[in-house]
Amino acid sequence: MARTTPRVFSGIQPSGELHIGNYLGAVQNWVALQHRYESIFCVVDYHAITVPYDPRELPARTRELAISLLAAGIDPDVATVFVQSAVPEHTELAWIFNTITPIGELERQTQFKDKAQRQESVSAGLLNYPVLQAADILLYRADTVPVGEDQVQHLELSREVARRWNARFAAPPDEPYFPEPAPLLTPTRRVMGLDGQSKMSKSMGNTIGLLEPPEDVWAKLRPAVTDPARVRRTDPGTPEVCNIYHLHRAFNPPETVDLVATQCRTAGWGCIECKRVLFDGMERTLGPVRARAAELRADPSMVDAALDAGAAAARRIAQETMRDVKARMGLAPAAPL
Ligand code: AQP
């Protein structure tokens, strides 16, 4: 039966603490979308094991990430939130998609090339990461995927997988079975790291954590790179080239952003004063998120209940998709439990 409400799916890796790049590029959007779309959000732990990791730390990271999502405003009564490895159909569909995906396409993925360069030994899992991502999305036949800009290339691969599978197993006169999922970007689709050089990224160590204590946030913000032309306090600056200015746009209202731009251009404020105003703006957003996370940590049963219900709801959809997919491909149906 055709769905009346469009469905979004998005995932996030428990590879480190959620940072403000993840928040501004993706999670903030999820919070807004959950009331307009049927929303499915996943902590993608199978993705996090494609690079070296410590199995003793993973459960706590996974849980802490789930807490961060709920604290940021994902409402488990409205959206489905779950952990990927609790729904085995993700890897089952990924295997199927592996069989129709040319290796060359995977080797061309920018994120694979970047991450592979940083490792001594590269696993097949790292290469196949975007195939698992395609399975994550298509398992729920999601129409829309709210992500940061870095994920757009992967999403193009998901679209290609959907097209290829449909052509082979749901060819006309059948309706295409899988929709071609479209990315949904935010105005802050690419948040730069505090080094001002590269994307804010857990693995680059240039992040501000969503739940970091205020004193740690300030300790990171204080030395963060600004407009390199502002060497002395009296040098006028160019806000557009300054990463701090872009963060103001994400955390402060337009009138404050205008004031920041004027004070920068006229050297009215030094960079430290400017960062103080940013810090205050950030605190208005991050303070309540931090407080909510503390409440959730104190009530583990609430988090367990949300994740269990989420996994059960996700699994119902996933099993239905796998039944259809396997039937169309001539594979055996799952044995009854
Ligand atoms: N700097 C960023 N700006 C905007 N959006 C971002 N995202 C990540 N970094 C930025 C978006 O956050 C969502 C979840 O990201 P993820 O953890 O699944 O993937 P990632 O891109 O691998 O995150 P990191 O921090 O860069 O992790 P590492 O260093 O482990 O690879 C995605 O929608 C992503 O676009």
Side-chain angles (χ1 to χ4, degrees):
M1 201 172 54
R3 286 194 303 265
T4 47
T5 313
R7 185 179 281 163
V8 304
F9 174 93
S10 202
I12 188 154
Q13 295 186 76
S15 52
E17 69 178 344
L18 193 78
H19 55 74
I20 59 170
N22 300 136
Y23 177 70
L24 299 172
V27 176
Q28 199 179 36
N29 211 8
W30 301 1
V31 174
L33 292 169
Q34 66 184 335
H35 299 291
R36 287 195 281 131
Y37 290 81
E38 181 188 343
S39 298
I40 304 176
F41 302 124
C42 183
V43 177
V44 290
D45 52 352
Y46 276 138
H47 286 273
I49 65 169
T50 58
V51 292
Y53 78 104
D54 185 341
R56 287 164 306 185
E57 284 177 11
L58 188 58
R61 285 191 166 180
T62 300
R63 192 171 182 83
E64 198 47 28
L65 185 52
I67 288 175
S68 302
L69 295 180
L70 300 176
I74 302 295
D75 179 351
D77 292 332
V78 175
T80 297
V81 191
F82 70 104
V83 178
Q84 185 184 30
S85 60
V87 180
E89 287 77 10
H90 284 253
T91 44
E92 194 178 8
L93 187 58
W95 174 257
I96 286 172
F97 287 162
N98 271 325
T99 65
I100 58 164
T101 305
I103 292 177
E105 270 181 30
L106 299 175
E107 287 170 337
R108 278 197 294 278
Q109 299 294 310
T110 314
Q111 208 171 84
F112 169 71
K113 289 194 272 186
D114 280 358
K115 288 196 174 177
Q117 250 175 17
R118 288 189 247 147
Q119 279 163 58
E120 271 177 29
S121 149
V122 178
S123 70
L126 186 63
L127 181 67
N128 291 341
Y129 181 114
V131 180
L132 178 57
Q133 191 170 350
D136 298 337
I137 298 163
L138 298 175
L139 193 53
Y140 303 99
R141 301 170 76 195
D143 314 281
T144 308
V145 186
V147 283
E149 195 177 64
D150 56 332
Q151 291 295 332
V152 169
Q153 192 188 27
H154 282 173
L155 209 55
E156 185 45 51
L157 193 124
S158 296
R159 296 163 64 81
E160 187 56 46
V161 167
R163 276 196 287 273
R164 205 173 279 128
W165 192 93
N166 286 338
R168 177 102 168 77
F169 302 107
D174 288 358
E175 289 291 308
Y177 182 74
F178 288 118
E180 291 181 28
L184 193 67
L185 297 168
T186 63
T188 38
R189 58 192 59 180
R190 183 178 170 83
V191 178
M192 297 300 285
L194 296 175
D195 50 10
Q197 299 285 314
S198 42
K199 184 193 89 150
M200 183 173 285
S201 179
K202 293 161 210 145
S203 50
M204 298 298 286
N206 60 5
T207 62
I208 290 182
L210 189 69
L211 302 179
E212 268 187 270
E215 55 280 14
D216 293 5
V217 173
W218 178 244
K220 285 183 171 181
L221 211 50
R222 212 169 186 283
V225 172
T226 57
D227 174 0
R230 285 201 84 179
V231 179
R232 285 174 303 251
R233 161 72 182 75
T234 48
D235 291 333
T238 309
E240 291 75 15
V241 303
C242 178
N243 192 26
I244 297 298
Y245 175 69
H246 292 293
L247 290 174
H248 273 290
R249 289 161 57 119
F251 285 105
N252 272 320
E255 54 285 8
T256 309
V257 174
D258 289 347
L259 179 65
V260 166
T262 307
Q263 295 294 342
C264 177
R265 278 190 236 284
T266 58
W269 291 345
C271 290
I272 293 292
E273 284 159 288
C274 176
K275 287 172 177 176
R276 266 277 164 213
V277 177
L278 172 61
F279 175 77
D280 292 343
M282 286 174 72
E283 269 306 290
R284 277 191 293 279
T285 301
L286 303 186
V289 176
R290 222 181 278 125
R292 176 91 184 111
E295 282 168 25
L296 289 163
R297 280 194 206 103
D299 184 4
S301 61
M302 148 79 198
V303 179
D304 290 339
L307 294 178
D308 288 350
R315 213 158 176 214
R316 278 194 291 277
I317 303 174
Q319 286 177 335
E320 198 183 301
T321 303
M322 285 315 299
R323 208 175 40 236
D324 293 346
V325 165
K326 290 172 93 177
R328 284 165 188 265
M329 295 181 73
L331 297 165
L337 289 174

